[in-house]
Amino acid sequence: MCDPAPYDVAVTADNNLMVTKRSSPEVDIIDFSGRKVKSMKSCVSCSRPSLALRGDFVILTDNKKKCVYICDRNLQVKRTINNQQFRFPHYVAVNDNYIIVSDRDAHCVLIYNRSGDLLATYGTPSRYGNGPGKLECPHGTCIDMFDNILIADQNNKKIHLITSKGKFVKFVTKLECCPPLALAITPESDLVVTMYDSNLVKIVKYLQ
């Protein structure tokens, strides 16, 4: 399949895989047979670039330059989100309305519109905590069909459900065994959670 050390992956509009790699600016396009279609050089300089796709809209995080790139499908940068709050922009999610960025070291999640304008912040920047509206080392995030946002609160072993305005709704589940890492929504609107340093994947009916 792809070169060693893949880091993040998303499915493209034409049903291929887009894969970022550790310690490399290259992004591979791979079909579902495992054949590499092409490699593209991105603008990222960090060792752990995360990405999210929506149609021809590609979002890439760069935790070294502390910014987020809004790109076209050829990874040409159309806009850069430079936020003085950023300490370690980590995971990212996107839909037709919003771009969501988790900042691992600032202990918050930032909500932008598709133009890159900041709309809301969830969590207190640079202050970790435990409870509604508080995060410690947030990782994966995703957006559901109702524009609700889900956040993997890694060190607190919780998953927060918030509105697109950054208002706390509820804790979806508390994970006693392992910290949550990455999140995704299935076509059936179930939440898929991968666990840090574990071979576990949990499926949660979070809308109940």
Side-chain angles (χ1 to χ4, degrees):
M1 289 185 66
C2 57
D3 295 339
Y7 184 71
D8 202 1
V9 62
V11 180
T12 67
D14 49 1
N15 214 32
N16 287 317
L17 301 177
M18 181 176 283
V19 182
T20 63
K21 296 183 282 187
R22 290 181 183 269
S23 304
S24 172
E26 285 192 344
V27 175
D28 290 339
I29 304 297
I30 301 168
D31 67 22
F32 273 84
S33 72
R35 181 180 63 90
K36 184 190 293 187
V37 177
K38 64 178 178 178
S39 291
M40 298 183 288
K41 187 172 182 179
S42 74
C43 52
V44 299
S45 61
C46 67
S47 60
R48 300 181 196 175
S50 291
L51 83 159
L53 304 178
R54 187 71 169 187
D56 291 337
F57 211 65
V58 183
I59 314 295
L60 289 163
T61 62
D62 191 326
N63 55 62
K64 184 176 181 180
K65 294 181 180 177
K66 299 183 180 180
C67 64
V68 174
Y69 298 110
I70 302 173
C71 308
D72 63 20
R73 65 182 304 172
N74 296 314
L75 303 188
Q76 298 301 304
V77 178
K78 299 302 181 183
R79 207 169 294 114
T80 302
I81 301 175
N82 289 300
N83 190 321
Q84 292 181 349
Q85 282 187 340
F86 280 150
R87 292 183 60 188
F88 195 102
H90 198 15
Y91 282 83
V92 65
V94 63
N95 70 0
D96 291 333
N97 300 311
Y98 302 103
I99 298 169
I100 314 300
V101 183
S102 69
D103 192 322
R104 187 193 71 182
D105 292 356
H107 310 293
C108 64
V109 167
L110 300 108
I111 303 169
Y112 297 87
N113 62 22
R114 291 273 295 246
S115 297
D117 302 313
L118 181 63
L119 302 177
T121 300
Y122 182 78
T124 304
S126 299
R127 279 192 178 180
Y128 62 85
N130 187 357
K134 298 178 181 180
L135 301 166
E136 185 174 354
C137 201
H139 276 59
T141 183
C142 62
I143 313 168
D144 72 9
M145 62 188 295
F146 305 107
D147 281 346
N148 294 315
I149 299 161
L150 294 115
I151 304 163
D153 186 1
Q154 188 180 75
N155 285 6
N156 291 322
K157 298 182 182 178
K158 295 177 180 176
I159 297 171
H160 299 237
L161 177 68
I162 68 172
T163 70
S164 57
K165 297 184 183 299
K167 303 299 182 183
F168 176 80
V169 176
K170 66 176 182 178
F171 293 119
V172 171
T173 184
K174 185 170 182 179
L175 307 164
E176 301 289 351
C177 55
C178 299
L181 182 62
L183 306 177
I185 301 289
T186 70
E188 293 77 25
S189 293
D190 293 331
L191 176 65
V192 181
V193 187
T194 63
M195 309 295 188
Y196 182 76
D197 199 24
S198 168
N199 61 355
L200 296 176
V201 176
K202 187 172 184 176
I203 299 176
V204 179
K205 293 188 178 297
Y206 74 99
L207 292 175
Q208 293 182 343

